[in-house]
Amino acid sequence: MNDSRVGGFVVRTLLWLPACFALWYGTAPYHASIAGAFAHGWLALLTPGLVHGVERTGSSLAFVTTLRVHPQPGQEAVLVPEVSALVYTYGLALFAALTLAVRARWWKILAGAGLLLVFQGWSIAFDLLAQVGIGLGPEVSALAGFGEWRRESIALGYQLGAVIFPTLAPVMVWAFLCGAFIQGVVHRDRGLPVAAS
Amino acid sequence: MGRFLAIFVAIVVGLFALELTPPLQAAVVAPWTAGLARVSAALAASFDPHVLSAGKVLRSSTNGFAISIEAGCNGLEAAIVLIAAMLAFPAPWKHRLIGVAAGLGAVQVLNVARVISLFYLGQWSPAAFEWAHLYLWQALIMLDALAVWLVWLRTLRAPEEWASARAEAVPP
């Protein structure tokens, strides 16, 4: 890969983007299941015992928690917050378009999709934690055992997962896997050799 | 690459955490977002006199449709990413500062286009608005930041050229 013209790269990315978005949207329900499993892994690591199962309906993930709430006097219910996986997984389409635009080898798309699941799992997990720790009120937060500093950490983790990771993670993973293109951009004008992609 | 990534991630997390603090929200984020709404409304008013802005809200006086510019849509996060990428990459400070100024301009120009397009998309089709808002424009703004960074990289000189440029600048 030694074509490092930025304009051509941007045009090719824009041309690939609609097809990648369509493919992502079509496969999103299956992808959501895997992202949900990664989110479950993050939750097991960060808040052991809070969630004991994930169920999927379309692209929506329902997390079966161990928290029991009382919606009305005399009634008890298990808290099952839902998270839309689409909001956190669309970066896969951007990553695929960027990778196809530099004509990288096909296995890099698979490897990148795998790496992105770590970030997507984080985003989904912190969406759930933000609901439990902040969105559903102080009673639910206390039930989960979240203190002040934990709620602050959840807020930061949620902001990172909601605002930064969905778009930045695809670009970082692309830069990691297709670094030869960036090297080509840096060295092209200097007549330096460019590594193969 | 490893050093660049470590510095980049540290700056992104640091600036992002700083952005979330109440003093910076009040002093920078809120005025910036209100300014973005005003600029977007002023540009839209050149072809549509029924566009109004109040704070971070853009509203149509004909049908009452309104959008509120929230975190993630004010271009500050893309700006943080771009600033971090330029600061993390080894380059002369002058080049970094020029890059940051030009890059922020490029990101914000596209962001104004995003706000105006979403304002009209929302009035036309809620489904199209949702798609463009949640997925498409997010990707396009990050692609814009990436393209600006790559163009900036191309304009960088090799370290040995910086040294000779500095030597030429020093009078004999």
Side-chain angles (χ1 to χ4, degrees):
Chain A
M1 176 73 240
N2 57 10
D3 179 9
S4 57
R5 286 171 299 173
V6 177
F9 161 69
V10 172
V11 170
R12 284 195 300 277
T13 305
L14 290 172
L15 290 174
W16 275 113
L17 213 45
C20 292
F21 264 122
L23 197 63
W24 158 75
Y25 195 70
T27 58
Y30 310 103
H31 185 250
S33 291
I34 309 170
F38 272 76
H40 198 182
W42 275 115
L43 290 165
L45 191 72
L46 297 168
T47 53
L50 179 66
V51 170
H52 68 71
V54 187
E55 293 168 5
R56 177 182 65 80
T57 308
S59 299
S60 181
L61 297 167
F63 289 85
V64 183
T65 68
T66 51
L67 303 178
R68 296 192 175 272
V69 291
H70 302 275
Q72 285 179 0
Q75 284 188 344
E76 190 177 72
V78 174
L79 189 68
V80 187
E82 290 193 5
V83 177
S84 169
L86 288 177
V87 183
Y88 302 116
T89 61
Y90 68 88
L92 179 59
L94 174 61
F95 166 75
L98 291 171
T99 308
L100 289 166
V102 296
R103 301 181 186 116
R105 290 175 188 155
W106 64 270
W107 64 264
K108 291 190 175 181
I109 295 180
L110 291 180
L115 285 173
L116 281 178
L117 283 167
V118 177
F119 296 96
Q120 292 162 353
W122 170 288
S123 299
I124 292 167
F126 271 91
D127 186 314
L128 172 87
L129 290 176
Q131 289 186 51
V132 172
I134 301 161
L136 293 172
E139 281 181 24
V140 173
S141 178
L143 207 59
F146 294 160
E148 184 62 34
W149 73 268
R150 251 183 135 178
R151 282 201 300 276
E152 292 293 332
S153 308
I154 287 170
L156 180 60
Y158 170 73
Q159 290 288 341
L160 276 173
V163 180
I164 296 285
F165 283 172
T167 47
L168 182 58
V171 175
M172 284 182 67
V173 171
W174 169 81
F176 175 68
L177 290 171
C178 304
F181 175 79
I182 298 173
Q183 282 180 13
V185 170
V186 175
H187 297 311
R188 189 181 171 89
D189 291 338
R190 300 175 193 164
L192 298 174
V194 177
S197 177
Chain B
M1 188 67 169
R3 185 176 175 275
F4 166 77
L5 272 180
I7 298 173
F8 171 73
V9 169
I11 296 174
V12 165
V13 173
L15 286 179
F16 189 61
L18 205 62
E19 186 210 350
L20 294 176
T21 59
L24 232 75
Q25 285 282 325
V28 178
V29 179
W32 178 273
T33 310
L36 176 62
R38 274 198 302 275
V39 170
S40 302
L43 283 172
S46 64
F47 55 86
D48 178 1
H50 305 291
V51 184
L52 306 167
S53 76
K56 60 182 182 179
V57 174
L58 219 65
R59 191 170 65 84
S60 167
S61 62
T62 49
N63 57 19
F65 179 83
I67 57 170
S68 175
I69 305 171
E70 300 295 334
C73 295
N74 55 15
L76 282 177
E77 289 74 21
I80 285 173
V81 169
L82 190 60
I83 290 169
M86 287 181 176
L87 293 185
F89 199 86
W93 273 102
K94 184 183 168 190
H95 205 90
R96 281 177 174 152
L97 293 176
I98 293 170
V100 166
L104 294 187
V107 167
Q108 290 308 325
V109 164
L110 196 66
N111 204 41
V112 167
R114 161 162 72 171
V115 171
I116 294 173
S117 72
L118 288 176
F119 180 67
Y120 288 101
L121 265 181
Q123 294 176 63
W124 173 63
S125 160
F129 171 83
E130 187 175 294
W131 246 88
H133 174 227
L134 292 178
Y135 316 127
L136 185 61
W137 267 117
Q138 301 285 66
L140 291 178
I141 292 287
M142 191 50 74
L143 178 61
D144 182 36
L146 175 63
V148 167
W149 184 65
L150 290 173
V151 168
W152 177 78
L153 283 183
R154 277 182 77 90
T155 63
L156 281 176
R157 293 173 172 186
E160 58 272 20
E161 288 178 61
W162 307 340
S164 63
R166 275 198 298 271
E168 283 170 19
V170 176

